[in-house]
PDB file of all heavy atoms in Angstrom:
ATOM      1  N   PHE A  10     -14.540   8.266  14.798  1.00  0.00           N
ATOM      2  CA  PHE A  10     -13.291   9.021  14.706  1.00  0.00           C
ATOM      3  C   PHE A  10     -13.496  10.461  14.243  1.00  0.00           C
ATOM      4  O   PHE A  10     -12.538  11.134  13.851  1.00  0.00           O
ATOM      5  CB  PHE A  10     -12.318   8.302  13.770  1.00  0.00           C
ATOM      6  CG  PHE A  10     -11.753   7.038  14.377  1.00  0.00           C
ATOM      7  CD1 PHE A  10     -11.251   6.038  13.562  1.00  0.00           C
ATOM      8  CD2 PHE A  10     -11.715   6.867  15.750  1.00  0.00           C
ATOM      9  CE1 PHE A  10     -10.734   4.875  14.119  1.00  0.00           C
ATOM     10  CE2 PHE A  10     -11.200   5.709  16.308  1.00  0.00           C
ATOM     11  CZ  PHE A  10     -10.709   4.709  15.492  1.00  0.00           C
ATOM     12  N   GLU A  18     -15.877  11.204   3.175  1.00  0.00           N
ATOM     13  CA  GLU A  18     -16.252  11.064   1.762  1.00  0.00           C
ATOM     14  C   GLU A  18     -15.112  10.394   0.977  1.00  0.00           C
ATOM     15  O   GLU A  18     -15.351   9.556   0.106  1.00  0.00           O
ATOM     16  CB  GLU A  18     -16.576  12.433   1.133  1.00  0.00           C
ATOM     17  CG  GLU A  18     -17.943  12.982   1.471  1.00  0.00           C
ATOM     18  CD  GLU A  18     -18.007  13.647   2.860  1.00  0.00           C
ATOM     19  OE1 GLU A  18     -16.988  13.622   3.587  1.00  0.00           O
ATOM     20  OE2 GLU A  18     -19.084  14.162   3.206  1.00  0.00           O
ATOM     21  N   CYS A  24     -13.448   3.058  -0.531  1.00  0.00           N
ATOM     22  CA  CYS A  24     -14.213   1.847  -0.229  1.00  0.00           C
ATOM     23  C   CYS A  24     -15.030   1.414  -1.461  1.00  0.00           C
ATOM     24  O   CYS A  24     -15.011   0.244  -1.861  1.00  0.00           O
ATOM     25  CB  CYS A  24     -15.108   2.198   0.953  1.00  0.00           C
ATOM     26  SG  CYS A  24     -16.083   0.887   1.507  1.00  0.00           S
ATOM     27  N   ASP A  40     -13.364 -12.861 -17.705  1.00  0.00           N
ATOM     28  CA  ASP A  40     -13.704 -11.794 -18.630  1.00  0.00           C
ATOM     29  C   ASP A  40     -12.501 -11.488 -19.524  1.00  0.00           C
ATOM     30  O   ASP A  40     -11.515 -10.900 -19.083  1.00  0.00           O
ATOM     31  CB  ASP A  40     -14.103 -10.558 -17.801  1.00  0.00           C
ATOM     32  CG  ASP A  40     -14.667  -9.460 -18.669  1.00  0.00           C
ATOM     33  OD1 ASP A  40     -14.389  -9.458 -19.888  1.00  0.00           O
ATOM     34  OD2 ASP A  40     -15.380  -8.604 -18.126  1.00  0.00           O
ATOM     35  N   ILE A  62      -4.537  -0.312 -15.168  1.00  0.00           N
ATOM     36  CA  ILE A  62      -5.182   0.826 -15.834  1.00  0.00           C
ATOM     37  C   ILE A  62      -6.639   0.956 -15.381  1.00  0.00           C
ATOM     38  O   ILE A  62      -7.097   2.039 -15.016  1.00  0.00           O
ATOM     39  CB  ILE A  62      -5.110   0.660 -17.379  1.00  0.00           C
ATOM     40  CG1 ILE A  62      -3.639   0.551 -17.809  1.00  0.00           C
ATOM     41  CG2 ILE A  62      -5.811   1.792 -18.101  1.00  0.00           C
ATOM     42  CD1 ILE A  62      -3.428   0.065 -19.226  1.00  0.00           C
ATOM     43  N   ASN A  65      -6.880   2.081 -11.757  1.00  0.00           N
ATOM     44  CA  ASN A  65      -6.527   3.494 -11.655  1.00  0.00           C
ATOM     45  C   ASN A  65      -7.704   4.379 -12.073  1.00  0.00           C
ATOM     46  O   ASN A  65      -8.028   5.361 -11.396  1.00  0.00           O
ATOM     47  CB  ASN A  65      -5.311   3.757 -12.549  1.00  0.00           C
ATOM     48  CG  ASN A  65      -4.649   5.082 -12.263  1.00  0.00           C
ATOM     49  OD1 ASN A  65      -4.596   5.520 -11.114  1.00  0.00           O
ATOM     50  ND2 ASN A  65      -4.160   5.747 -13.298  1.00  0.00           N
ATOM     51  N   SER A  70     -11.854   8.278 -10.730  1.00  0.00           N
ATOM     52  CA  SER A  70     -13.244   8.697 -10.894  1.00  0.00           C
ATOM     53  C   SER A  70     -13.954   8.847  -9.535  1.00  0.00           C
ATOM     54  O   SER A  70     -14.579   9.877  -9.261  1.00  0.00           O
ATOM     55  CB  SER A  70     -13.929   7.673 -11.810  1.00  0.00           C
ATOM     56  OG  SER A  70     -15.290   7.688 -11.615  1.00  0.00           O
ATOM     57  N   SER A  97     -13.217  20.193  -6.413  1.00  0.00           N
ATOM     58  CA  SER A  97     -12.033  20.242  -5.552  1.00  0.00           C
ATOM     59  C   SER A  97     -12.356  20.311  -4.049  1.00  0.00           C
ATOM     60  O   SER A  97     -13.388  20.846  -3.652  1.00  0.00           O
ATOM     61  CB  SER A  97     -11.174  21.452  -5.947  1.00  0.00           C
ATOM     62  OG  SER A  97      -9.901  21.314  -5.378  1.00  0.00           O
ATOM     63  N   VAL A 102      -4.565  12.917  -2.014  1.00  0.00           N
ATOM     64  CA  VAL A 102      -4.590  11.458  -1.827  1.00  0.00           C
ATOM     65  C   VAL A 102      -3.533  10.820  -2.730  1.00  0.00           C
ATOM     66  O   VAL A 102      -3.466  11.114  -3.931  1.00  0.00           O
ATOM     67  CB  VAL A 102      -5.981  10.867  -2.140  1.00  0.00           C
ATOM     68  CG1 VAL A 102      -5.985   9.359  -1.888  1.00  0.00           C
ATOM     69  CG2 VAL A 102      -7.057  11.530  -1.286  1.00  0.00           C
ATOM     70  N   ILE A 122      -3.212   0.539  -2.187  1.00  0.00           N
ATOM     71  CA  ILE A 122      -2.590   1.235  -1.048  1.00  0.00           C
ATOM     72  C   ILE A 122      -2.927   2.728  -1.155  1.00  0.00           C
ATOM     73  O   ILE A 122      -2.878   3.283  -2.257  1.00  0.00           O
ATOM     74  CB  ILE A 122      -1.052   1.070  -1.059  1.00  0.00           C
ATOM     75  CG1 ILE A 122      -0.650  -0.399  -1.192  1.00  0.00           C
ATOM     76  CG2 ILE A 122      -0.418   1.687   0.180  1.00  0.00           C
ATOM     77  CD1 ILE A 122       0.852  -0.606  -1.439  1.00  0.00           C
ATOM     78  N   ASP A 128      -4.285  19.326   2.427  1.00  0.00           N
ATOM     79  CA  ASP A 128      -3.665  20.275   1.483  1.00  0.00           C
ATOM     80  C   ASP A 128      -3.921  21.676   2.018  1.00  0.00           C
ATOM     81  O   ASP A 128      -4.834  22.371   1.582  1.00  0.00           O
ATOM     82  CB  ASP A 128      -4.318  20.083   0.097  1.00  0.00           C
ATOM     83  CG  ASP A 128      -3.585  20.862  -0.983  1.00  0.00           C
ATOM     84  OD1 ASP A 128      -2.468  21.336  -0.724  1.00  0.00           O
ATOM     85  OD2 ASP A 128      -4.143  20.973  -2.092  1.00  0.00           O
ATOM     86  N   VAL A 161      -7.615  -2.448   5.640  1.00  0.00           N
ATOM     87  CA  VAL A 161      -6.890  -2.103   6.865  1.00  0.00           C
ATOM     88  C   VAL A 161      -6.688  -0.597   6.838  1.00  0.00           C
ATOM     89  O   VAL A 161      -6.184  -0.051   5.845  1.00  0.00           O
ATOM     90  CB  VAL A 161      -5.558  -2.882   6.942  1.00  0.00           C
ATOM     91  CG1 VAL A 161      -4.661  -2.319   8.036  1.00  0.00           C
ATOM     92  CG2 VAL A 161      -5.833  -4.361   7.185  1.00  0.00           C
ATOM     93  N   ILE A 162      -7.133   0.079   7.896  1.00  0.00           N
ATOM     94  CA  ILE A 162      -7.093   1.546   7.874  1.00  0.00           C
ATOM     95  C   ILE A 162      -6.550   2.069   9.201  1.00  0.00           C
ATOM     96  O   ILE A 162      -6.894   1.552  10.270  1.00  0.00           O
ATOM     97  CB  ILE A 162      -8.496   2.113   7.521  1.00  0.00           C
ATOM     98  CG1 ILE A 162      -8.443   3.615   7.307  1.00  0.00           C
ATOM     99  CG2 ILE A 162      -9.572   1.724   8.511  1.00  0.00           C
ATOM    100  CD1 ILE A 162      -9.624   4.160   6.519  1.00  0.00           C
ATOM    101  N   PHE A 164      -5.606   5.645  11.464  1.00  0.00           N
ATOM    102  CA  PHE A 164      -5.734   7.086  11.646  1.00  0.00           C
ATOM    103  C   PHE A 164      -4.675   7.516  12.656  1.00  0.00           C
ATOM    104  O   PHE A 164      -4.387   6.767  13.600  1.00  0.00           O
ATOM    105  CB  PHE A 164      -7.116   7.443  12.207  1.00  0.00           C
ATOM    106  CG  PHE A 164      -8.243   7.115  11.274  1.00  0.00           C
ATOM    107  CD1 PHE A 164      -8.856   5.869  11.326  1.00  0.00           C
ATOM    108  CD2 PHE A 164      -8.670   8.037  10.338  1.00  0.00           C
ATOM    109  CE1 PHE A 164      -9.890   5.554  10.463  1.00  0.00           C
ATOM    110  CE2 PHE A 164      -9.702   7.730   9.470  1.00  0.00           C
ATOM    111  CZ  PHE A 164     -10.320   6.484   9.529  1.00  0.00           C
ATOM    112  N   ASP A 175     -18.118  -8.042   3.389  1.00  0.00           N
ATOM    113  CA  ASP A 175     -19.151  -9.086   3.419  1.00  0.00           C
ATOM    114  C   ASP A 175     -19.889  -9.051   2.088  1.00  0.00           C
ATOM    115  O   ASP A 175     -20.623  -8.091   1.803  1.00  0.00           O
ATOM    116  CB  ASP A 175     -20.102  -8.803   4.597  1.00  0.00           C
ATOM    117  CG  ASP A 175     -21.171  -9.878   4.743  1.00  0.00           C
ATOM    118  OD1 ASP A 175     -21.448 -10.585   3.757  1.00  0.00           O
ATOM    119  OD2 ASP A 175     -21.736  -9.994   5.849  1.00  0.00           O
ATOM    120  N   TYR A 214      22.999  -8.211   8.312  1.00  0.00           N
ATOM    121  CA  TYR A 214      21.707  -8.126   9.004  1.00  0.00           C
ATOM    122  C   TYR A 214      20.857  -9.374   8.719  1.00  0.00           C
ATOM    123  O   TYR A 214      20.337 -10.020   9.637  1.00  0.00           O
ATOM    124  CB  TYR A 214      21.004  -6.850   8.539  1.00  0.00           C
ATOM    125  CG  TYR A 214      19.599  -6.653   9.052  1.00  0.00           C
ATOM    126  CD1 TYR A 214      19.344  -6.551  10.416  1.00  0.00           C
ATOM    127  CD2 TYR A 214      18.527  -6.547   8.161  1.00  0.00           C
ATOM    128  CE1 TYR A 214      18.044  -6.355  10.881  1.00  0.00           C
ATOM    129  CE2 TYR A 214      17.234  -6.349   8.625  1.00  0.00           C
ATOM    130  CZ  TYR A 214      17.001  -6.263   9.982  1.00  0.00           C
ATOM    131  OH  TYR A 214      15.728  -6.087  10.443  1.00  0.00           O
ATOM    132  N   GLY A 244       3.459 -10.855  13.064  1.00  0.00           N
ATOM    133  CA  GLY A 244       4.691 -10.283  13.583  1.00  0.00           C
ATOM    134  C   GLY A 244       5.849 -10.597  12.646  1.00  0.00           C
ATOM    135  O   GLY A 244       5.685 -11.294  11.648  1.00  0.00           O
ATOM    136  N   LEU A 260      10.691  -0.193  -4.013  1.00  0.00           N
ATOM    137  CA  LEU A 260       9.387   0.332  -3.593  1.00  0.00           C
ATOM    138  C   LEU A 260       9.363   1.857  -3.691  1.00  0.00           C
ATOM    139  O   LEU A 260      10.391   2.507  -3.520  1.00  0.00           O
ATOM    140  CB  LEU A 260       9.083  -0.113  -2.163  1.00  0.00           C
ATOM    141  CG  LEU A 260       9.050  -1.626  -1.968  1.00  0.00           C
ATOM    142  CD1 LEU A 260       8.802  -1.974  -0.509  1.00  0.00           C
ATOM    143  CD2 LEU A 260       7.996  -2.273  -2.870  1.00  0.00           C
ATOM    144  N   MET A 273       2.377   0.569  10.038  1.00  0.00           N
ATOM    145  CA  MET A 273       3.239  -0.218  10.944  1.00  0.00           C
ATOM    146  C   MET A 273       3.432   0.488  12.280  1.00  0.00           C
ATOM    147  O   MET A 273       3.338  -0.120  13.349  1.00  0.00           O
ATOM    148  CB  MET A 273       4.621  -0.405  10.316  1.00  0.00           C
ATOM    149  CG  MET A 273       4.863  -1.675   9.610  1.00  0.00           C
ATOM    150  SD  MET A 273       4.451  -3.117  10.574  1.00  0.00           S
ATOM    151  CE  MET A 273       4.188  -4.243   9.244  1.00  0.00           C
ATOM    152  N   SER A 286      25.449   1.484   1.496  1.00  0.00           N
ATOM    153  CA  SER A 286      26.865   1.865   1.482  1.00  0.00           C
ATOM    154  C   SER A 286      27.512   1.278   0.224  1.00  0.00           C
ATOM    155  O   SER A 286      26.924   0.479  -0.480  1.00  0.00           O
ATOM    156  CB  SER A 286      27.557   1.364   2.751  1.00  0.00           C
ATOM    157  OG  SER A 286      28.039   0.058   2.540  1.00  0.00           O
TER     158      SER A 286
END
Side-chain angles (χ1 to χ4, degrees):
F10 288 157
E18 282 80 357
C24 181
D40 188 338
I62 302 166
N65 194 35
S70 157
S97 195
V102 182
I122 309 171
D128 189 13
V161 168
I162 188 160
F164 296 90
D175 183 338
Y214 175 61
L260 301 178
M273 263 309 156
S286 88

